[in-house]
Amino acid sequence: FTLGTMGLVSADYELTDYSIMHYSELHDISTYYNAVNEDIRNYCGVSHQFRLGLEANLSQTIALRAGYALRTSPERFYNAEGWSYDKSLNVNSFSAGIGYASRKAFFVDAAARLTKYPVEHFEPYAQYYSTVASPDIAKDRHRLDILLTFGWRF
């Protein structure tokens, strides 16, 4: 949606159904992948992606931008209520940027995006010692992308 010459608001939605993925062999009709395909149907579901963006034109040459994105996890698990999704596995992204466009010659854009991934837990050893369980390691991961774009009109 454009706000005249003041800026714009954008929103979009994407759906991906991972439960319809499957393994197969090109020339063999064996049942080798049946168990894997059953696990995919049971434990993979639908992922939703929502994106929202804003742009404000401060002048005819300078614009500020901001955005947010949410991607839900397609991983499903079974509990007392039935099949459900773990919201702690969602991925969130925040972005901001500024752009300059000369009237005739060139443009330059600078942007930053911070993506927060879910905390991952893993145990690096099957058995730490013969009687002691492996330590649980929690990996909390964030990613910062910084982009700079130059362009010339000709």
Side-chain angles (χ1 to χ4, degrees):
F1 180 75
T2 58
L3 306 168
T5 60
M6 294 175 50
L8 62 90
V9 176
S10 68
D12 73 279
Y13 168 77
E14 182 178 317
L15 179 138
T16 306
D17 186 357
Y18 290 96
S19 69
I20 61 174
M21 299 184 304
H22 71 278
Y23 282 87
S24 63
E25 293 191 37
L26 187 60
H27 300 294
D28 189 5
I29 58 171
S30 70
T31 59
Y32 183 77
Y33 289 115
N34 284 355
V36 173
N37 289 330
E38 185 66 24
D39 284 345
I40 290 171
R41 279 189 294 278
N42 287 332
Y43 298 107
C44 295
V46 173
S47 174
H48 306 276
Q49 193 162 151
F50 305 94
R51 292 182 289 270
L52 178 65
L54 303 169
E55 180 174 308
N57 295 324
L58 301 180
S59 69
Q60 290 183 342
T61 58
I62 297 176
L64 288 178
R65 299 178 187 97
Y68 171 73
L70 167 67
R71 185 176 69 229
T72 64
S73 172
E75 294 180 44
R76 301 187 323 162
F77 63 93
Y78 192 78
N79 60 18
E81 291 85 35
W83 289 101
S84 59
Y85 296 89
D86 185 353
K87 292 181 179 157
S88 71
L89 299 175
N90 294 345
V91 176
N92 291 281
S93 295
F94 305 90
S95 61
I98 188 166
Y100 172 81
S102 71
R103 293 187 184 257
K104 296 182 181 178
F106 72 97
F107 62 91
V108 61
D109 289 298
R113 178 179 60 198
L114 177 66
T115 303
K116 183 182 182 325
Y117 294 95
V119 175
E120 295 179 50
H121 292 271
F122 63 96
E123 296 176 351
Y125 313 107
Q127 286 288 340
Y128 193 60
Y129 289 110
S130 60
T131 58
V132 179
S134 174
D136 180 52
I137 297 175
K139 182 170 80 170
D140 191 7
R141 187 168 59 117
H142 295 72
R143 178 178 174 164
L144 178 63
D145 297 306
I146 298 175
L147 307 164
L148 187 61
T149 306
F150 292 100
W152 286 268
R153 292 182 177 83
F154 54 93

